[in-house]
C-alpha cells in the first residue's frame, strides 16, 4: 500500500506555455500533499504544502502565482507551472501523507520538466 | 530554521563491507526523521521512518538511529551489495514538513 503516482513522468514544453503535473495517492487518502523540486546534483527543496480543500502554503521564495497548486480531493493534487521558462526546468516530486497516521510521506516517481 | 547536513558527500566501499552514513540536524525538536534512497533520475524510495519518540528502526540489512539531543541520525548498512549503490537522503523537521539533507552518494564496488 501507500502508492503515489505522478503524471506525466516527463514533459517538454516551449517557453511561455503552462504545464500541469498531477499527483495521485492510489490506495490511500492523503490529508496533505507536498511539492518539491530538485535541480541536478542537488537535494530536494520543498516548494509548498497543500491540504485538501484549502489554499496551499508556499515556502519562502516560491512564487504562488507561477506555481499554482490545487488539492481538490483527498487523492489528487495538481501543480501548474504557468508561463514556463527554461530556468523552471527541473525534477518535480510530490509526496502525500496518510490521514491520521505517523506523518510518514510517500513519494511519487517524479516529473522531469524541460522548457525549451 | 532546520538545517540538515549529511556526511560524507560521497562514499565508495568494496562489496560486503558494513558502513555508516551520517545525518546532522540543527533543531532537536524533530517530528519525524526519514531515510530515503534515490537512484539516478528516479524518485525517492522510503527506507526507514523514525518517529520523534523512537530511537531506532530496523529493516533487513538497514538500521537507523536517532539521537535528538545531539542532533544526529545514522543509517547503518550491513554487508553492502552493489545494488545498494544510490544516493541516500535523510530528511526531518519540527513539523510534518521535511527538510532534506544534501545526500550521500554511495558506490559499492563488486
Amino acid at each position: 500500500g501507500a502508492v503515489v503516482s505522478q503524471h506525466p513522468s516527463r514533459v517538454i514544453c516551449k517557453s511561455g506555455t503552462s504545464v500541469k503535473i498531477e499527483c495521485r495517492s492510489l490506495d490511500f487518502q492523503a490529508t496533505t500533499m507536498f511539492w518539491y523540486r530538485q535541480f541536478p546534483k542537488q537535494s530536494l527543496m520543498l516548494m509548498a504544502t497543500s491540504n485538501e480543500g484549502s489554499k496551499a502554503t508556499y515556502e519562502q521564495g516560491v512564487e504562488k502565482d507561477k506555481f499554482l497548486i490545487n488539492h481538490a480531493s483527498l487523492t489528487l493534487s495538481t501543480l501548474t507551472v504557468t508561463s514556463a521558462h527554461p530556468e523552471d526546468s527541473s525534477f518535480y516530486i510530490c509526496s502525500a501523507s496518510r490521514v491520521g497516521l505517523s506523518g510518514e510521506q510517500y513519494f511519487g516517481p517524479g516529473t522531469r520538466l524541460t522548457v525549451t | 530554521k532546520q538545517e540538515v547536513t549529511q556526511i560524507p558527500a560521497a562514499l565508495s566501499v568494496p562489496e560486503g563491507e558494513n558502513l555508516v552514513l551520517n545525518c546532522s540536524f540543527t533543531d532537536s525538536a524533530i517530528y519525524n526523521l526519514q531515510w530515503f534512497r534515490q537512484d539516478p533520475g528516479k524518485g525517492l524510495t522510503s527506507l526507514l521512518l523514525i518517529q520523534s519518540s523512537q530511537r531506532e528502526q530496523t529493516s533487513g540489512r538497514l538500521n537507523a538511529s536517532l539521537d535528538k539531543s545531539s542532533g544526529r541520525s545514522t543509517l547503518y548498512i550491513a554487508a553492502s551489495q552493489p545494488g545498494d549503490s544510490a544516493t541516500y537522503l535523510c530528511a526531518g523537521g519540527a513539523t510534518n514538513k521535511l527538510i532534506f539533507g544534501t545526500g550521500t552518494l554511495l558506490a559499492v564496488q563488486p
Side-chain angles (χ1 to χ4, degrees), chain A residues 13-65:
Chain A
C13 71
K14 292 188 176 180
S15 187
T17 61
S18 295
V19 174
K20 180 184 284 188
I21 303 169
E22 291 187 351
C23 176
R24 292 182 185 271
S25 55
L26 298 185
D27 52 2
F28 67 98
Q29 291 186 324
T31 41
T32 306
M33 289 185 168
F34 303 84
W35 287 95
Y36 299 83
R37 65 189 297 183
Q38 185 179 34
F39 291 109
K41 299 192 183 300
Q42 294 188 24
S43 194
L44 279 74
M45 296 294 293
L46 179 65
M47 298 175 67
T49 304
S50 75
N51 293 293
E52 183 262 341
S54 61
K55 289 184 179 180
T57 302
Y58 291 81
E59 295 300 300
Q60 190 172 7
V62 177
E63 298 174 59
K64 63 180 181 180
D65 294 329

Side-chain angles (χ1 to χ4, degrees), chain B:
Chain B
K1 181 183 174 183
Q2 181 72 274
E3 293 183 7
V4 182
T5 306
Q6 291 184 245
I7 296 173
L11 180 64
S12 180
V13 300
E15 181 177 3
E17 267 203 12
N18 303 324
L19 59 101
V20 176
L21 307 181
N22 296 293
C23 173
S24 300
F25 45 93
T26 55
D27 187 349
S28 63
I30 202 156
Y31 184 69
N32 285 334
L33 193 290
Q34 279 187 260
W35 281 92
F36 299 89
R37 164 189 178 135
Q38 186 175 31
D39 293 289
K42 304 292 185 183
L44 302 183
T45 300
S46 180
L47 299 174
L48 290 165
L49 165 72
I50 310 176
Q51 296 182 26
S52 62
S53 59
Q54 299 173 327
R55 301 205 65 166
E56 68 175 329
Q57 285 287 330
T58 298
S59 176
R61 294 183 293 110
L62 306 180
N63 174 276
S65 67
L66 174 63
D67 183 343
K68 290 170 59 179
S69 62
S70 67
R72 295 181 62 185
S73 176
T74 60
L75 178 66
Y76 175 82
I77 302 177
S80 58
Q81 303 171 358
D84 295 332
S85 299
T87 296
Y88 289 80
L89 296 162
C90 69
T95 67
N96 62 344
K97 295 196 294 187
L98 289 178
I99 306 301
F100 278 81
T102 45
T104 293
L105 177 61
L106 173 64
V108 181
Q109 309 298 331

